[in-house]
Amino acid sequence: MANEEFVNVYFFGKRYSVPANLTIMTGLEYAGYQLVRGCGCRNGFCGACATIYRIKGDAELHMALACQTKVEDNMYVATLPFFPLQKKVYDINQVEPTQQIMMQLYPEIYSCIGCNACTKACPQGLNVMQYIAYAQRGDFKKCADESFDCVMCGICSSRCPAGISHSQVAELARRINGKYLTPDAEHLKQRVKEIYDGNFKAAMEDYMSKSDAEIREMYNTREIEK
Amino acid sequence: MYPDSYQESLAKVAAKRAENAAAEPRRMTADEKDALLKEYHPDYREDQFEEIKIGPNKGEKAPHELVAMLQAHSRVHAGDVDLDKPQYDVDVLIIGAGGAGSSAAIEADEAGANVLMTTKLRIGDANTMMAEGGIQAADKENDSPQQHFLDAYGGGHFAAKKELVEKLVTEAPEDIQWLNDLGCEFDKDETGRMITTHGGGTSRKRMHACKDYSGAEIMRTLRDEVQNRKIPILEFTSAIELLKDEEGKAAGAVLVNMETLELTVVRAKTVILATGGAGRMHYQGFPTSNHYGATADGLVLAYRAGAKLLYQHTLQYHPTGAAYPDQIYGALVTEKVRSLGAKIVNKDGEIFVHPLETRDVEAAAIIRECKKGNGVETDHGCGVWLDAPIIDIKNGEGTIKKRIPAMYRMFEKRGIDISKEPILVYPTLHYQNGGVDINTDCETAVKDLFAAGEVTGGVHGTNRLMGNSLLDVIVFGRDAGKAAGARFKDVEIKGKLNLNHVDAFEDELKAAGVETDLVSPKLLSKYVDQKTLLQGPGIIQ
Ligand SMILES: Cc1cc2nc3c(=O)[nH]c(=O)nc-3n(C[C@H](O)[C@H](O)[C@H](O)COP(=O)(O)OP(=O)(O)OC[C@H]3O[C@@H](n4cnc5c(N)ncnc54)[C@H](O)[C@@H]3O)c2cc1C
Ligand code: FES
């Protein structure tokens, strides 16, 4: 690696010197940790690598995804590979898309004290407190949109004095929105029915029975939608 | 922020942007593509492959790294565990909790089976979670299942098993509806019409998406549903060997707790392998877009149990892996960037390939351009530009932020605004085209052993199209769940559970003169720096 600059980071309070261009995750590995927990997609999608850090001498606590965050000099790092979130079970076919369901499954959202710690902590930069407010009101669409980029790392919940499992609340809102509140795709329903009725059977059999040369010709000369 | 050394090239790209935005690059002819692939695609580099010496695919080729795992020793032998006292006794054991495994679990549960899932990391720590671009289905008026068939079969170089492709495309619309009904949030317009785009190699706009978190949205919906159904999942627990009964039918597995290393025996009437891909094998030294647990374990387990592989020598190198900065080297830059109109240009800002050729052709064209010296040099080698700002020029300002927010965020965090600057890219190891051979019921050559998703081969021939893999895991995941959910009712496990096939495999290794210290499946890749470590019994005795 061309970059020869090193920084001092403190993993769980112990100092290691690691190349400055690493992430917290690859820094841990460089230091000698073989990760099992706290490492999933390695690219910011799965939320496995929730991490807390503080720069020495600084009062502020930072929350981050270890795979997405560069190491810094004097960074004190603790990983948060698991956080006990509450996931309530429900039958998606039975729920009704009203505020009632939130009150029933996640009543603690109504104890939100508005401290905004969740929003400040979100490594995805989401307005977490706002989407919880939408959920309180039963505005599932807005809650779904606002929370869409959530990776369910649990960091917000670790900071919440009201014990809210934000990402689970948002998951419920998104499923309700996707299933009940977004209009159905009529062309999709139509196509499912046509297939069920066997409308494409003959054409498909015809394609399947083509010789290699014929199908190649068809493929190479097929018209491509602009 | 890009280093100073890139600025000259960046200026050239910017100067040509308007012209490039309007350009309609030519597509290659079939002959041009063939010639390009033979010379530049990694699958054609003979020195990177070797012959498999034993087992059902003896005599065929596979990458060195895979052969090493296929021909390694088992991690467990008869006598290491008491196979007569299984800790679990279930109807359906599902190995791997990504998209395919979770879909299978839901269907097997629906069929009334007693299901157990086991997975290496957590449910959803999987390639499915990472899919950005979308999922194909022929549900628009100008499209049809047979048109989808033509694209998939042709895109896969006419090598796929036709009957599997037929299933893939015919069940696609129904499965999109299924996901929709589970609450998955597809991109739709105000009337509910699906917003669909092209992907590389599609002849109709049939790519459905959930912004550029398509896989994440599908995966978290499936995970929530699995949890709602209270299907038991053993997390941080990997399968290290399949078990058979005295008739040689698959009848369970030996699992290892990834943290405590404790072994667990599961007796199961049917087993579904859904372990996904192999990016973390880093074939030919390529970086990868895959999740941490993608180490071809399923191929090893199935192969030792006597299942046949298909097209194990073909891998997919995604043309646009991030080549800069270091922290995201190899990470995927979704094809959707090109679907939305971005062009690929060289260091002088010249277009050298149509942006939506099939992935293998596109990747080979980029490798060729770099070999010609027309790429931008990086710490790891070379890259070419994916000129993303063209998207906003063509579709209106704000399109990037709205349609590919994950991409925008990934680069914004590193000080690169992709609505203003291009992205430096180079091919990255992305997908295992081949895998365990299955029939239309998802059954392998081993009775009662089913497989679905990226671990299988045959659905995509020797090259998979974008959007057909998410589709594959839903279609065949569900089908495997249904098949096992029907089969278990007639299964009788005969006699004792055993690892005889492992002993036989070890004998074959010896007879073939294979000498190795390696064990497999690999489970995790080591990224730890080489250090001098304490040898022997460890700290606590
Ligand atoms: C970055 C990225 C982007 C992609 N984008 C798209 C796209 O836009 N469209 C598309 O169609 N496809 C896309 N793909 C491909 C697609 O996402 C995958 O091929 C597909 O999701 C694989 O699903 P799966 O269920 O077979 O495997 P996975 O989702 O990978 O799940 C496999 C699971 O098995 C577990 N496992 C592995 N070994 C063991 C073991 N020994 N014991 C127990 N568990 C084990 C793994 O940890 C994992 O949880 C993309 C892939 C990647 C990596
Ligand atoms: S490892 Fe998946 S988000 Fe960091």
Side-chain angles (χ1 to χ4, degrees):
Chain A
M1 212 156 284
N3 201 329
E4 285 300 325
E5 208 184 312
F6 278 70
V7 292
N8 285 324
V9 286
Y10 296 78
F11 294 127
F12 313 103
K14 185 166 167 57
R15 183 168 65 92
Y16 293 91
S17 176
V18 309
N21 61 348
L22 299 184
T23 60
I24 294 173
M25 179 172 285
T26 52
L28 277 161
E29 289 174 332
Y30 182 90
Y33 289 88
Q34 167 89 47
L35 303 176
V36 176
R37 278 211 186 240
C39 179
C41 67
R42 303 181 70 100
N43 195 27
F45 285 93
C46 77
C49 62
T51 298
I52 314 174
Y53 69 87
R54 164 176 274 147
I55 304 298
K56 191 175 180 178
D58 208 348
E60 196 183 353
L61 264 187
H62 300 271
M63 317 298 284
L65 296 175
C67 67
Q68 295 296 294
T69 310
K70 243 173 133 167
V71 289
E72 281 176 53
D73 216 18
N74 287 321
M75 191 183 225
Y76 276 75
V77 179
T79 61
L80 192 66
F82 175 78
F83 191 81
L85 294 174
Q86 284 237 55
K87 145 85 190 136
K88 295 289 175 59
V89 301
Y90 57 93
D91 181 343
I92 188 68
N93 295 311
Q94 302 297 325
V95 296
E96 293 204 11
T98 62
Q99 198 185 350
Q100 198 60 34
I101 185 75
M102 281 294 170
M103 292 182 173
Q104 197 185 317
L105 295 180
Y106 295 109
E108 64 278 9
I109 63 175
Y110 296 97
S111 314
C112 169
I113 59 164
C115 70
N116 209 29
C118 49
T119 301
K120 281 191 221 142
C122 180
Q124 292 287 84
L126 302 180
N127 194 342
V128 185
M129 195 172 85
Q130 183 62 59
Y131 81 60
I132 291 297
Y134 290 137
Q136 289 171 339
R137 278 185 249 151
D139 192 339
F140 297 111
K141 181 174 182 342
K142 284 206 172 126
C143 180
D145 290 349
E146 196 77 41
S147 71
F148 191 81
D149 296 4
C150 172
V151 295
M152 306 183 83
C153 64
I155 288 178
C156 49
S157 302
S158 76
R159 307 290 292 151
C160 180
I164 298 171
S165 290
H166 311 70
S167 60
Q168 296 295 351
V169 172
E171 180 62 53
L172 173 63
R174 284 193 302 270
R175 287 189 69 184
I176 289 178
N177 188 47
K179 183 175 173 66
Y180 294 107
L181 305 177
T182 312
D184 281 333
E186 290 307 327
H187 60 94
L188 175 60
K189 284 190 160 165
Q190 176 66 22
R191 182 53 47 84
V192 172
K193 181 171 177 303
E194 288 165 358
I195 291 173
Y196 185 81
D197 292 343
N199 294 7
F200 299 101
K201 243 188 142 119
M204 185 64 83
E205 272 162 23
D206 177 42
Y207 275 49
M208 302 250 311
S209 64
K210 293 265 187 266
S211 73
D212 207 46
E214 281 173 307
I215 199 95
R216 272 173 199 273
E217 179 61 19
M218 285 169 68
Y219 178 73
N220 289 330
T221 57
R222 76 202 195 287
E223 180 210 330
I224 295 180
E225 179 182 0
K226 281 274 181 243
Chain B
M1 231 144 34
Y2 288 116
D4 290 346
S5 55
Y6 295 2
Q7 296 305 329
E8 189 189 326
S9 174
L10 280 166
K12 287 185 185 165
V13 174
K16 288 230 168 91
R17 185 161 295 136
E19 181 191 328
N20 285 340
E24 211 18 88
R26 185 178 74 85
R27 286 186 191 255
M28 274 179 237
T29 65
D31 289 344
E32 284 172 325
K33 287 186 212 170
D34 284 348
L36 173 70
L37 289 175
K38 287 220 171 68
E39 191 150 356
Y40 292 99
H41 194 277
D43 277 359
Y44 292 86
R45 289 189 53 186
E46 271 172 34
D47 61 333
Q48 297 293 331
F49 293 82
E50 70 186 77
E51 207 167 275
I52 305 173
K53 296 207 184 70
I54 58 168
N57 295 75
K58 184 172 166 178
E60 292 180 20
K61 294 264 158 102
H64 295 309
E65 299 85 346
L66 179 60
V67 174
M69 287 296 101
L70 290 175
Q71 298 180 170
H73 299 293
S74 175
R75 287 177 181 268
V76 56
H77 294 91
D80 294 347
V81 273
D82 187 351
L83 300 177
D84 296 335
K85 293 204 188 81
Q87 280 82 4
Y88 296 89
D89 193 347
V90 297
D91 299 328
V92 181
L93 169 65
I94 299 175
I95 303 174
S102 302
S103 302
I106 293 168
E107 289 298 347
D109 179 65
E110 190 67 29
N114 174 10
V115 179
L116 176 70
M117 300 179 83
T118 184
T119 197
K120 188 182 294 183
L121 303 167
R122 306 172 310 169
I123 177 173
D125 290 348
N127 280 355
T128 303
M129 188 62 96
M130 309 180 74
E132 297 162 15
I135 176 165
Q136 290 197 38
D139 60 8
K140 290 283 174 79
E141 296 76 3
N142 69 347
D143 203 357
S144 65
Q146 64 270 22
Q147 191 70 27
H148 190 174
F149 176 92
L150 193 58
D151 288 347
Y153 188 63
H157 302 303
F158 311 94
K161 290 172 94 167
K162 283 185 189 167
E163 63 279 16
L164 295 180
V165 187
E166 180 194 14
K167 269 202 124 183
L168 180 81
V169 301
T170 308
E171 293 176 17
E174 182 198 327
D175 283 356
I176 298 289
Q177 186 72 56
W178 183 72
L179 288 171
N180 185 93
D181 293 348
L182 283 173
C184 190
E185 298 194 285
F186 288 103
D187 293 347
K188 294 177 173 178
D189 70 13
E190 323 74 61
T191 69
R193 219 181 140 71
M194 295 280 180
I195 298 173
T196 53
T197 55
H198 269 305
T202 56
S203 64
R204 296 291 182 275
K205 294 183 182 170
R206 73 168 77 85
M207 193 69 61
H208 302 61
C210 317
K211 301 194 184 165
D212 58 352
Y213 285 98
S214 303
E217 171 60 2
I218 290 172
M219 188 67 237
R220 62 197 181 190
T221 304
L222 294 174
R223 174 173 60 194
D224 197 60
E225 184 60 20
V226 165
Q227 290 169 343
N228 279 349
R229 287 168 179 263
K230 301 190 188 149
I231 297 168
I233 314 170
L234 304 175
E235 293 188 316
F236 295 101
T237 307
S238 296
I240 51 170
E241 214 63 76
L242 295 171
L243 290 168
K244 291 190 173 186
D245 73 356
E246 286 175 5
E247 287 179 341
K249 307 196 301 274
V254 180
L255 316 179
V256 66
N257 180 319
M258 296 292 286
E259 296 179 296
T260 65
L261 306 186
E262 183 188 0
L263 297 179
T264 296
V265 175
V266 181
R267 184 176 188 270
K269 290 182 175 151
T270 57
V271 179
I272 301 177
L273 262 186
T275 51
R280 297 273 155 199
M281 298 286 280
H282 294 291
Y283 297 127
Q284 304 191 23
F286 270 86
T288 184
S289 63
N290 286 193
H291 86 288
Y292 192 33
T295 51
D297 296 357
L299 304 196
V300 173
L301 298 179
Y303 199 66
R304 242 181 233 147
K308 206 175 157 309
L309 307 181
L310 186 62
Y311 302 136
Q312 68 287 339
H313 60 291
T314 70
L315 282 306
Q316 180 165 84
Y317 297 85
H318 195 291
T320 58
Y324 184 90
D326 276 353
Q327 298 94 48
I328 52 169
Y329 176 53
L332 185 72
V333 178
T334 175
E335 185 163 318
K336 206 166 159 197
V337 178
R338 283 173 289 134
S339 300
L340 289 171
K343 303 255 166 51
I344 303 251
V345 301
N346 65 18
K347 69 167 193 244
D348 297 318
E350 286 157 358
I351 296 176
F352 57 90
V353 60
H354 189 287
L356 290 175
E357 296 285 5
T358 52
R359 287 184 174 168
D360 48 358
V361 171
E362 196 83 27
I366 293 173
I367 292 171
R368 177 174 67 188
E369 197 67 10
C370 285
K371 289 237 162 92
K372 280 187 187 166
N374 294 336
V376 176
E377 267 180 53
T378 69
D379 280 0
H380 299 279
C382 179
V384 296
W385 296 111
L386 173 60
D387 202 12
I390 291 180
I391 296 173
D392 280 6
I393 295 180
K394 289 180 84 165
N395 307 282
E397 217 166 293
T399 307
I400 288 178
K401 276 189 209 166
K402 178 138 185 287
R403 301 286 293 280
I404 45 172
M407 280 300 103
Y408 182 79
R409 173 174 290 119
M410 178 160 120
F411 286 94
E412 185 209 34
K413 276 187 186 164
R414 278 102 194 167
I416 297 168
D417 177 351
I418 65 168
S419 65
K420 305 213 165 57
E421 287 187 298
I423 304 169
L424 197 65
V425 296
Y426 192 76
T428 185
L429 178 54
H430 187 56
Y431 185 78
Q432 171 175 275
N433 290 316
V436 183
D437 193 6
I438 53 167
N439 64 19
T440 49
D441 286 329
C442 301
E443 195 163 5
T444 69
V446 178
K447 194 143 190 344
D448 300 333
L449 177 64
F450 299 82
E454 194 170 339
V455 71
T456 68
V459 180
H460 310 286
T462 57
N463 177 55
R464 170 190 66 102
L465 301 189
M466 166 195 180
N468 274 350
S469 173
L470 278 178
L471 179 59
D472 168 0
V473 311
I474 306 299
V475 168
F476 293 99
R478 291 186 70 194
D479 287 348
K482 288 179 195 166
R487 172 71 60 78
F488 84 87
K489 293 169 186 151
D490 307 320
V491 172
E492 209 184 306
I493 296 175
K494 285 278 162 60
K496 285 176 181 287
L497 297 183
N498 65 74
L499 283 166
N500 296 349
H501 60 287
V502 172
D503 295 338
F505 194 87
E506 295 274 1
D507 289 344
E508 263 193 85
L509 275 181
K510 206 181 272 170
V514 177
E515 284 185 23
T516 175
D517 297 333
L518 297 173
V519 294
S520 64
K522 192 176 180 89
L523 302 180
L524 290 177
S525 263
K526 253 196 156 63
Y527 295 104
V528 173
D529 249 41
Q530 278 309 314
K531 294 199 158 76
T532 312
L533 299 179
L534 174 68
Q535 300 296 316
I539 303 294
I540 302 173
Q541 293 194 39

